[in-house]
Amino acid sequence: MKMVNNKYWFPLLLVLLLFLIDKVVLIPAVQSCCTQYRGNPFESMANYDFKQDAIVQAARESGRKIILNLGTSRSMGYYRTPTPEHIAVSQYLTDAERKTLSEYQIVNSSLPGASILSAYVRMAQWLDHGLKPDQIWVEISPFSFNKNSMWASFELKHGVPADFALRYLNRLPAEHSKTILTSRLFQVIRFRPGSADQSKSQWENLFAEATRHLDQLPRGIPPYTGVEQGRESKEQLLKYRYVSSEMERTMFQGYKMDPVYARYLDLIRARAQEQGIALVFWKPASHPLWQSVLKRNDSATHWMTEWNRTVARLKTPHSSYLDMDQEGLLHCRFFVDPVHIGNRCYPEMAVRTLQAGAAIP
C-alpha cells in the first residue's frame, strides 16, 4: 500500500517543488542577478496606472474637452505639449485653430516599442476607469503590426495584466490570451534565466524623462528638437541614413504583418463606437529617407499593400484615417531622426487630427 502511495505522491511532490522553484524568479534580487529581465517599459499598462487623473479633473473643471491619444515613442511629444504657451506662439496655426485647440486637453498614453495591442489594452483600461474622452486618437505604423518585433513577446508577457486577459477573454485573440495567461502561471516564461542587461537605450531614458511628471499639467514651451526637412547638414543626413539603415535591419528582419494584431483595429473601433466616441487612426510623419526605405523594402511593400486594404475599412461613419505624410497636410516638418518628428510640430499635428475627428458625426 505504501508503494502505491509513493507512486502517486512522488510525482505530485515533484510538480509542487518545480512550481515553487518557478516562483523564485518573482523575487527582485533573483530577477536582477539571474534573469534577462531589466525593467518594464509597459509598467503603466501592467499596473493600471492613471497618474493623469488630476489633469483630466482640471480640464473638466475648466470646461475643456478631452482627447485620449494612444501610441508609441512617435507620440511621446504629447506628454509635454501642446501647452497654452506653445499654442500661442506656434507659427503653423491660424488664430481660429489656436482658439479651437485651446479648448482641448490631450491625455497621452504612449509606450515605446508598443504594438496595436497596447493601444487597445490602454484604451480599455482608461474607459473602464471612467474616462469619457470626446475623441480617441490611435497612432499606427508598420511597427504596430509586426509579429516578430523585438518587443512583441515582452509586451504580451509583461504588459497585459492577467486579470485584464481574463476579463476580456471573449474579445482578445485566443493566441494572445494563451500566451498572457501561460506566462503568468509559469514565471520562467517571463523571467528567463541568464545575465541581466542593465543598460538602457536612449529612447528608454527619453521615455522616463518625458513621463516623470505625469500627474502635473504641462506648461511652457518644450525644448524645440529636430532639424527642418531640406535644411539638414551633410553630417545630419549621414546620421539619418545610418539610422534608417539600422532601423531597416532591426525592424524588417523577419518582418511579418500579423493578422492577429490587425484584429485589434476592429476591437478598438467597436469599443469607441459602442461608447459613441469619435475615433481617428493616424500615421506619423516620417523623413523622406525613411519613406524611401519603405518603398524599396519587400516586407514594407507587402505591409503597405495590406494596409491600403485596411485603411479602406477604417474610414467609416464612426472613424477616420489620417496620414501625416499626405502632401500639403503638415507644414511643420522638423525631424529628430527619420521617424520621430520634433516637439515644435505637435500643435499643428494635433489640429490636423482634431479636424479629422471633428468631421465624424
Side-chain angles (χ1 to χ4, degrees):
M1 185 69 177
K2 185 179 294 186
M3 291 181 62
V4 173
N5 287 339
N6 288 338
K7 178 181 177 181
Y8 290 101
W9 277 107
F10 182 75
L12 182 60
L13 290 172
L14 181 60
V15 169
L16 181 60
L17 179 62
L18 292 173
F19 186 78
L20 291 174
I21 292 174
D22 175 73
K23 301 303 175 276
V24 170
V25 295
L26 293 176
I27 301 173
V30 175
Q31 293 176 8
S32 179
C33 78
C34 309
T35 74
Q36 299 173 16
Y37 181 76
R38 65 184 181 110
N40 187 2
F42 304 100
E43 188 174 2
S44 60
M45 184 167 71
N47 295 336
Y48 293 94
D49 187 352
F50 304 108
K51 289 181 180 177
Q52 293 152 298
D53 274 341
I55 294 176
V56 173
Q57 183 63 25
R60 291 301 190 198
E61 289 175 356
S62 64
R64 281 177 295 160
K65 300 174 184 177
I66 300 293
I67 295 167
L68 175 63
N69 181 74
L70 305 150
T72 70
S73 61
R74 302 177 81 182
S75 289
M76 276 172 47
Y78 279 130
Y79 282 121
R80 294 184 172 182
T81 197
T83 61
E85 296 85 356
H86 194 185
I87 293 170
V89 301
S90 176
Q91 67 188 85
Y92 299 98
L93 304 179
T94 65
D95 288 340
E97 289 170 343
R98 288 190 183 91
K99 182 178 183 300
T100 299
L101 187 56
S102 297
E103 296 171 355
Y104 288 84
Q105 176 64 52
I106 297 175
V107 176
N108 192 36
S109 186
S110 297
L111 303 169
S115 73
I116 194 68
L117 161 67
S118 286
Y120 173 68
V121 173
R122 202 66 180 123
M123 181 191 76
Q125 288 179 340
W126 270 110
L127 296 182
D128 292 345
H129 182 61
L131 181 69
K132 183 65 186 294
D134 296 273
Q135 290 188 19
I136 294 176
W137 301 348
V138 180
E139 173 214 320
I140 53 175
S141 72
F143 315 129
S144 306
F145 305 92
N146 186 5
K147 180 179 182 179
N148 297 321
S149 83
M150 60 189 295
W151 285 108
S153 178
F154 190 97
E155 180 185 34
L156 275 170
K157 297 171 184 177
H158 291 272
V160 186
D163 63 325
F164 182 94
L166 288 171
R167 191 182 319 132
Y168 284 86
L169 195 61
N170 63 332
R171 297 191 184 186
L172 290 174
E175 300 93 324
H176 286 176
S177 295
K178 178 183 177 182
T179 299
I180 295 164
L181 296 176
T182 303
S183 69
R184 299 315 195 278
L185 183 61
F186 302 104
Q187 298 301 327
V188 291
I189 295 177
R190 290 203 295 157
F191 303 102
R192 293 187 177 277
S195 300
D197 179 6
Q198 298 297 337
S199 64
K200 284 186 177 293
S201 65
Q202 183 180 8
W203 60 261
E204 284 178 301
N205 291 327
L206 289 172
F207 175 69
E209 178 62 30
T211 59
R212 191 182 302 267
H213 304 294
L214 278 185
D215 57 338
Q216 299 177 19
L217 193 66
R219 291 291 183 187
I221 301 173
Y224 285 158
T225 54
V227 180
E228 188 173 14
Q229 180 181 320
R231 294 178 178 267
E232 306 91 346
S233 66
K234 291 181 179 179
E235 292 76 13
Q236 287 163 338
L237 287 175
L238 282 173
K239 176 186 174 183
Y240 285 7
R241 289 191 180 94
Y242 172 75
V243 173
S244 294
S245 175
E246 284 299 294
M247 289 183 61
E248 182 177 19
R249 181 180 63 81
T250 57
M251 298 296 183
F252 290 129
Q253 186 174 12
Y255 180 92
K256 181 179 180 182
M257 182 180 176
D258 191 347
V260 175
Y261 280 93
R263 290 185 216 166
Y264 288 104
L265 294 170
D266 295 323
L267 291 173
I268 289 170
R269 186 176 55 188
R271 184 67 188 271
Q273 184 175 344
E274 178 184 301
Q275 299 204 211
I277 303 170
L279 172 65
V280 181
F281 294 99
W282 65 281
K283 183 170 169 283
S286 56
H287 193 274
L289 284 173
W290 182 247
Q291 294 177 37
S292 67
V293 169
L294 292 178
K295 290 175 182 177
R296 74 167 182 263
N297 187 283
D298 291 340
S299 297
T301 301
H302 170 71
W303 175 85
M304 286 190 288
T305 301
E306 292 296 318
W307 185 242
N308 287 335
R309 299 189 186 117
T310 304
V311 168
R313 293 193 297 111
L314 296 180
K315 298 176 181 179
T316 74
H318 302 282
S319 64
S320 182
Y321 172 69
L322 186 65
D323 186 343
M324 290 292 177
D325 279 323
Q326 178 184 330
E327 187 174 354
L329 179 70
L330 203 62
H331 296 95
C332 182
R333 296 185 68 85
F334 286 76
F335 289 95
V336 178
D337 61 41
V339 298
H340 291 92
I341 202 162
N343 284 340
R344 78 180 75 201
C345 298
Y346 275 78
E348 188 189 10
M349 286 169 53
V351 162
R352 303 297 164 242
T353 315
L354 185 60
Q355 290 168 343
I360 300 172

